[in-house]
């Protein structure tokens, strides 16, 4: 037993250590996202953001003379497909780095594979704490460039209590979704701590078409507002059905609402609702306005937060590759962990000890089928 183990260690150490910089002049980066399905805009925006970043970085010569090449996989919004794609990127394509996923449940399926194979993974936008830290242990190879849900839940709870002066709220959550369950919990804890009460808590499953039973139950309890920490397709249907039931309370949500489809599917039923997000395109800062201009020119639409975070993710990786000794592996993860004060589109990014980015959040109010800046909340 001991001898076998010793032999295995020697074998691993005697393999030539391949520097990604030493490869054929390219730095191969994997991207995994939901390019199809009910969360298709999540994956599409992420791919667009990474592509824009890669083309800009490559136009300037890449990193240390090596340019970026992307390998993009569609996981159709399924955690098991995300895990399969991750294994393929690591074992077959031999990428230096993986960018993805958006949804926390899918990043949670990928993270153990990144860790076991020592391939750095940056999720641009998964906000559930467990993605980078499971059972009190930080995953050495997993990072994110966004804030986490204990903060995001706090942001909306404070906004509800202090700005909207609400004290009796209800929750409608997606039971199969780690993000939704976490955010509902963090929101509840903070709203109660601020003196508010949660008078009803209902649930649904992603892909449900009819939410009238849950909405009718909520309506009977007369909440002043409803917190719906879900993804855009379900949320838009929920908002429409709430209006059909003559429920006119505001709905509040999180970053999972961020999609142009929210307004397409929800129409005017989205008006008057609020959600927390990573940035606002209303922000006049040159970093944001420059990015918006370039993105619109390339893709013909406004960049959502996912596009901006994905763009920042590749730039942060390039910065770390430039500082560290290699484009992948241990050197890259060390350099990523040491990221401090990086000026991204979505804010100044410093990676903390749990591999999270500590950044402010914005609250957006929906009117006329578009989100509008309402407030900024700092950590
Ligand atoms: N934060 C969400 C999650 O973890 C994903 C998301 C981020 C969706 C940003 C939209 C915009 O599941």
């Amino acid at each position: 037993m001991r001898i076998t183990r010793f032999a295995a260690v020697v074998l691993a150490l005697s393999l030539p250590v391949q520097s990604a910089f030493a490869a054929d002049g390219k730095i191969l980066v994997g991207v995994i996202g939901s390019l199809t399905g009910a969360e298709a805009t999540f994956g599409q925006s992420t791919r667009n953001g990474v592509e824009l970043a890669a083309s800009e970085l490559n136009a300037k010569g890449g990193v240390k003379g090596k340019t970026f090449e992307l390998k993009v996989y569609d996981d159709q919004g399924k955690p098991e497909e995300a895990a399969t794609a991750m294994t393929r990127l690591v074992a077959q394509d031999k990428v230096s780095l993986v960018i993805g996923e958006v949804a926390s449940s899918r990043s949670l399926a990928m993270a153990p594979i990144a860790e076991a194979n020592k391939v750095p993974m940056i999720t641009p936008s998964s906000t559930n704490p467990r993605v980078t830290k499971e059972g009190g242990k930080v995953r050495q190879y997993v990072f994110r460039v966004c804030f986490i849900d204990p903060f995001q839940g706090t942001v909306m709870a404070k906004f509800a209590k202090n700005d909207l002066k609400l004290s009796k709220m209800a929750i409608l959550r997606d039971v199969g979704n780690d993000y939704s369950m976490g955010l509902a919990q963090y929101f509840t804890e903070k709203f109660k701590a601020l003196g508010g009460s949660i008078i009803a808590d209902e649930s649904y499953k992603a892909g449900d078409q009819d939410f009238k039973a849950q909405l009718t139950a909520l309506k009977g309890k007369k909440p002043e507002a409803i917190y719906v920490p879900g993804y855009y397709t379900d949320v838009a249907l929920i908002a429409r059905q709430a209006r059909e039931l003559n429920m006119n309370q505001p709905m509040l949500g999180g970053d999972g609402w961020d999609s142009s489809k929210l307004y397409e599917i929800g129409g005017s039923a989205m008006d008057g609702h609020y959600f927390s997000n990573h940035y606002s395109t209303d922000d006049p800062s040159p970093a944001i306005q420059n990015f918006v201009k370039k993105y619109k020119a390339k893709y013909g639409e406004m960049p959502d937060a996912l596009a901006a975070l994905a763009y920042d993710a590749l730039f942060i990786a390039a910065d770390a590759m430039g500082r560290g000794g290699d484009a992948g592996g241990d050197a890259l993860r060390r350099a990523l962990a040491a990221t401090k004060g990086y000026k991204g589109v979505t804010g100044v990014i410093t990676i903390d000890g749990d591999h999270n980015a500590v950044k402010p959040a914005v609250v957006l109010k929906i009117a006329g089928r578009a989100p509008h800046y309402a407030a900024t909340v700092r950590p």
Side-chain angles (χ1 to χ4, degrees), residues 42 102-105 125-128 146 149 152 177 179-180 231 255-258 277-278 305-306 309:
F42 286 176
V102 166
S104 292
S105 294
S125 41
S126 287
T127 45
N128 186 281
C146 56
D149 287 332
Q152 182 169 206
N177 179 330
Y179 156 78
S180 188
Y231 292 152
D255 55 354
W257 287 27
D258 191 18
N277 206 2
H278 304 268
L306 299 162
L309 287 165

Side-chain angles (χ1 to χ4, degrees), residues 50 84 88 95 105 135 157 175 189 207 216 220 229 232 254 274:
V50 178
T84 304
R88 192 168 303 154
V95 294
S105 294
V175 273
E189 286 167 7
T216 303
Y232 65 90
Y274 298 86

Side-chain angles (χ1 to χ4, degrees), residues 327-378:
D330 187 58
L332 177 57
R333 71 138 185 116
R334 281 178 194 280
L336 282 170
T339 301
K340 275 190 187 64
Y342 181 87
K343 289 193 185 66
V345 171
T346 59
V348 178
I349 297 167
T350 292
I351 301 295
D352 72 8
D354 290 343
H355 293 183
N356 305 320
V358 183
K359 298 152 83 183
V362 294
V363 176
L364 304 173
K365 181 177 187 176
I366 300 169
R369 298 177 191 226
H372 302 281
Y373 176 81
T376 298
V377 184
R378 285 172 206 291

